[in-house]
Amino acid sequence: MTVSVDERPRPQLARLDEPEIYTETVYADAKRYGKHVGITEPRLRTQPLRPLTPETSHGYSVIEFALEVLGVRLYPWQKALLIRALELNEDGTYRFRKVFVLVGRQNGKTTLLTVLALWWLFVDADSFPEHLPAKDFLILGTAQNLDIAEDAWNGALKRCDPNPDEDDEEYVVADLAAETRKPVKTNGKKSLRLRNNAKYEPRAASRMGGRGKSAARVVMDEMREQQTWDIWGSVSKTKNAIFNSQLWGISSAGDAKSVVLATLRDGAIKTIREYEQYVETGLQTLEEFANTHDVATALFEWSATPGRPLMDIEGILQANPSVGYKPMFFDSIWSDLLGDEPEATKRTEILCDWVVSRAEPFLQGEGWADSADGPVLDDDDNVIEFGSTIADSSRMTMGIDVYSSARTTSSVIGVAGYRADGRRHLELIAQRTGMSWVVKYAIAVREKTGINQVALQTKGCAAADLVEPLKEAGFDIVSISGSILLTSADRLRKRIAADQIRHRSQGPLNLAIANGTAKDLAGMPVWDRFGAPVDISPAVAVTNALVALEAFVPAEKPPPPAPPPQAASVARTDYSVAEDVNLATAAF
């Protein structure tokens, strides 16, 4: 299906760039009457590779499906998103394998996901029957909370339920219901299935929630709630073996604990900036850029420009594109901003502003990002370049730290070594919940690499409980205490400032470095475990490994003593041997 665009004059929208995206004249009407109107185009956005038309984006088809089949008139920002996110390659497959959407709360993302899911089921599931038959087409909707995952599913079911509840009969579209089998409505097992066997299932985003299912479309709602990589690792891989698969991650802004979303967002922003730097300025062709960058991941973010005041109108309109189209929405936002919630909460949820910490990071502006030398992946996540590595001839050390709070305990292991160019390489090699796994894992690392030096704080922290088990396992313990502790964090800062550090740009380590704070102890800066807004154990672990590498070089073992000289044979000449010798009385 394609959208037939009428000939009405189209208003010029704020921040509307090429290619032109069709919107309603209601925008011009709203401006004429002096109302506040949200900004249609996302502040941060991945650029299209070619002009977007009904032939190059399925977004137009979704917009028409919403209006003509469902009777839903999407907001301008929802249309803009669909057209950009559903961009097509020349062979008709989706350009983007992963799409990340950030927008302020209550802007209509559930409606958007409901419409998109229904279009996927009733239109898109039959797009490539030779590669992906409808019977293998699964939409997997996930969220940290099952109720959230079921919101869009319930909205979709209302439109196509062949046996609706009395209260939902008015929402049912007869043509869709005729193509739908009896749904499963049991809590935790809900499933919507068409007569061609295309399916839509909501699941809680637990570590096992998506395992075992190969999904053609994955929706991860409220990604800001993912604080470890377990869920992302299990659910995101469900689409890898499926032709023309696509994952959508949608959320408001996160905070210091939103490790997954922060890392993925940072990567997408970096690609956006480098596209502007190299392609738009003509320094590289698009083909050259695509050879070294992930052009199959998209970010579309409606957010206030960082640093804007809380009650700034422009910032509100940047992060809330439904203002002016959703009745009383601006008044509701203004009331919420005047409410009693903490300012950080208002900024993240209403202005879609990443508020990580009000405290100044210890390594602020010290060049950690410039020290990154991570692996380069192609569109299928295959490694093209390995990035920074430790030289084969280098000595290596391990650093260990433990994060402990009232709710959880986790441990992390880092390594340090010298590169071929003499710089220090720092890397995380393990981060898991609990502590019981650490010694066994360290032994496995030693067997593979020969590392026997382990550095950790031996007093006043949870990691101290690992000292004796590590000693019993035969490790050479480097005690990070006393004067060594006082100078350890500053050692890392000085090495970064001197351009002597390289790392692999790992998300948990980047987050700890970017937000880790220090406290003054005896006039020296020491990593602040409890004052930092994030888990800084990754930063502590690699710092410990660096200290051991530089300051605790084991003394060379003395060469083994030479073996004693071989015994010499001695001939006796002081006696003579008679023919009949009595051995009992012979003189030896």
Side-chain angles (χ1 to χ4, degrees), residues 6 67 83 120 129 184 207 311 445 480 503 515 528 536 586-587:
D6 61 31
L67 184 61
I83 292 172
W120 277 336
V184 178
R207 184 173 183 178
M311 308 296 289
V445 172
I480 305 297
H503 58 93
N515 301 286
D528 190 357
I536 65 168

Side-chain angles (χ1 to χ4, degrees), residues 19 32 82 150 152 218 238 259 279 303 318 369 371 396 452 458 502 506 525 550-552 563 579 587:
R32 186 181 304 119
L82 289 167
E150 290 179 348
V218 177
T238 61
V259 176
V279 178
S303 60
Q318 286 178 311
S371 302
M396 295 185 287
N452 196 56
T458 55
R502 289 293 183 269
Q506 298 165 294
E550 293 188 345
F552 288 86
E579 292 184 2

Side-chain angles (χ1 to χ4, degrees), residues 239-419:
K239 66 178 184 60
N240 286 358
I242 296 294
F243 176 80
N244 197 33
S245 61
Q246 193 172 63
L247 179 150
W248 281 56
I250 191 164
S251 182
S252 55
D255 55 25
K257 297 178 181 179
S258 305
V259 176
V260 176
L261 184 58
T263 303
L264 297 171
R265 175 180 180 266
D266 286 347
I269 291 175
K270 181 180 179 182
T271 300
I272 290 172
R273 299 304 184 214
E274 291 184 352
Y275 180 92
E276 296 170 352
Q277 179 182 355
Y278 294 114
V279 178
E280 292 185 352
T281 60
L283 293 178
Q284 282 186 344
T285 66
L286 183 58
E287 291 75 14
E288 291 171 337
F289 184 82
N291 286 335
T292 56
H293 292 79
D294 177 11
V295 295
T297 295
L299 172 68
F300 303 110
E301 177 176 313
W302 284 263
S303 60
T305 303
R308 284 190 178 276
L310 185 65
M311 308 296 289
D312 181 77
I313 300 295
E314 181 75 6
I316 294 173
L317 300 182
Q318 286 178 311
N320 296 275
S322 294
V323 168
Y325 309 100
K326 186 176 181 182
M328 304 300 294
F329 190 37
F330 182 84
D331 294 339
S332 175
I333 291 173
W334 195 259
S335 176
D336 288 343
L337 289 172
L338 290 172
D340 295 331
E341 287 183 311
E343 180 175 337
T345 301
K346 297 174 185 177
R347 285 190 174 275
T348 55
E349 296 193 0
I350 300 175
L351 300 185
C352 207
D353 184 9
W354 285 73
V355 181
V356 177
S357 174
R358 298 296 180 187
E360 182 175 325
F362 172 58
L363 294 177
Q364 184 178 24
E366 295 291 340
W368 177 258
D370 294 336
S371 302
D373 183 13
V376 178
L377 307 178
D378 63 16
D379 293 344
D380 296 322
D381 293 335
N382 298 314
V383 177
I384 300 175
E385 298 177 13
F386 285 98
S388 183
T389 56
I390 298 173
D392 291 340
S393 60
S394 173
R395 183 174 67 88
M396 295 185 287
T397 55
M398 268 189 282
I400 293 177
D401 196 53
V402 176
Y403 170 76
S404 182
S405 70
R407 297 176 59 186
T408 186
T409 297
S410 62
S411 306
V412 63
I413 301 178
V415 295
Y418 290 101
R419 294 167 25 125

